[in-house]
Amino acid sequence: AGGSSRGLAQMLLYPIDALRTLAQTRDGRTLADVGAKALVRGCATTSSFAIFIGSIQFAIFGATRDLCGPVVAAGLGAAGSCLVSVPQEVIKQRLITGVYSNFGNAVTTIYKTEGVKGFYSAWRPTVARNIPFVVCTFTVMDMLKHWRLESKSRKSNLCNIGENSSNEQKLSLTITENLIIGISSSLIGATLTHPTDVIKTRMMTQAASKAIPYSSTLDCMQTIWSSEGPKAFYSGFLQRSAYMGPLWSIQFALNGKFTDIMKKNNT
């Protein structure tokens, strides 16, 4: 359920994510530089990675939440999904910025010139972004979900206040409620982690710029601060918000719907 919902959501919103990538590039690339086709270049192929990313995130979170709590469970899910999400980001962002012409060319060139490590370039800032983002998003989502279910249970008089476990088995959130929860939780996470998202994009798309390459993540941070100022760490924020809000709201909504369908089929 988590994988299917993530894949569908990412494919639908791919053009917005492409605009976010362009806005964060070092030389400020636009559609005039890369062409309108960049908005969908690699859409189907790289979005297929999202199926595995969503599956890993939701599976680990669901399996460990009761044992470790929502915060630790979300962190474990984010860390596990990085095995797939980092290569996806490397390929996707280089396709969007015009470094490679197509998915096949990207995969073969990266492997020949950089080896397997090339698919994990800028993995540190990616992990530094993903874990706090997913922890924040899933934790806020979990809190809002339980708050809403508890509110609905009180109104329906199914049980007393505080007895939530049996309620949540009888009650479920509507698609609209899941959409609102997804937007709210993801926007909080996106705001807190956007600077690391900019650093990650700069590191992954260096080949698209004629500027002197960053030597490390720390050099990237220092160069952005000294040459562009602190505002640069929030470049592309509107585009990312327009992408992440709907992405996670659709993902949570579809995941909730798919999960309900699977539960009904298994009963």
Side-chain angles (χ1 to χ4, degrees):
S4 300
S5 59
R6 175 62 180 253
L8 287 172
Q10 184 162 313
M11 188 174 293
L12 289 172
L13 298 166
Y14 192 89
I16 301 177
D17 189 35
L19 292 174
R20 183 264 303 184
T21 297
L22 293 174
Q24 291 180 347
T25 53
R26 192 173 186 178
D27 51 3
R29 293 201 163 197
T30 64
L31 285 179
D33 300 313
V34 298
K37 290 184 178 180
L39 294 177
V40 293
R41 189 179 297 129
C43 175
T45 47
T46 60
S47 293
S48 65
F49 283 63
I51 296 175
F52 300 100
I53 295 171
S55 297
I56 293 170
Q57 284 179 343
F58 278 90
I60 294 177
F61 181 78
T64 60
R65 179 188 173 278
D66 292 338
L67 180 65
C68 305
V71 175
V72 176
L76 293 173
S81 67
C82 283
L83 291 171
V84 182
S85 65
V86 176
Q88 180 207 36
E89 286 290 300
V90 170
I91 297 170
K92 178 183 69 176
Q93 296 199 325
R94 292 185 184 182
L95 285 172
I96 291 171
T97 54
V99 177
Y100 305 116
S101 58
N102 56 64
F103 180 81
N105 176 241
V107 173
T108 55
T109 304
I110 292 173
Y111 183 75
K112 288 180 179 178
T113 58
E114 303 175 59
V116 176
K117 289 183 179 180
F119 294 103
Y120 288 90
S121 62
W123 69 268
R124 289 183 181 86
T126 306
V127 172
R129 177 204 65 173
N130 284 4
I131 292 180
F133 173 79
V134 174
V135 166
C136 180
T137 301
F138 271 74
T139 302
V140 173
M141 176 272 295
D142 199 60
M143 292 173 58
L144 292 176
K145 178 180 177 180
H146 283 290
W147 171 81
R148 183 55 184 158
L149 287 173
E150 183 179 318
S151 176
K152 293 176 76 171
S153 71
R154 288 199 299 266
K155 290 180 180 179
S156 61
N157 295 318
L158 287 177
C159 65
N160 295 325
I161 297 175
E163 298 177 3
N164 302 321
S165 58
S166 60
N167 287 357
E168 292 177 19
Q169 294 177 358
K170 298 178 181 180
L171 295 173
S172 61
L173 298 176
T174 65
I175 290 181
T176 301
E177 289 170 331
N178 274 311
L179 285 171
I180 295 173
I181 288 174
I183 290 175
S184 302
S185 56
S186 63
L187 288 181
I188 293 173
T191 301
L192 295 175
T193 61
H194 195 77
T196 55
D197 188 59
V198 172
I199 295 169
K200 182 259 320 173
T201 299
R202 294 289 185 93
M203 295 290 290
M204 287 184 175
T205 60
Q206 292 198 82
S209 175
K210 296 180 180 179
I212 299 174
Y214 304 114
S215 59
S216 64
T217 301
L218 181 60
D219 178 53
C220 179
M221 294 172 58
Q222 293 174 335
T223 303
I224 293 174
W225 182 274
S226 61
S227 62
E228 302 175 63
K231 288 184 179 180
F233 288 105
Y234 274 87
S235 59
F237 178 72
L238 292 178
Q239 293 90 331
R240 187 179 180 223
S241 297
Y243 170 69
M244 298 304 293
L247 174 71
W248 284 87
S249 64
I250 293 172
Q251 186 174 349
F252 284 144
L254 292 179
N255 180 70
K257 190 66 176 179
F258 290 161
T259 300
D260 289 341
I261 293 173
M262 291 169 67
K263 285 181 178 179
K264 290 179 181 179
N265 291 336
N266 292 330
T267 55

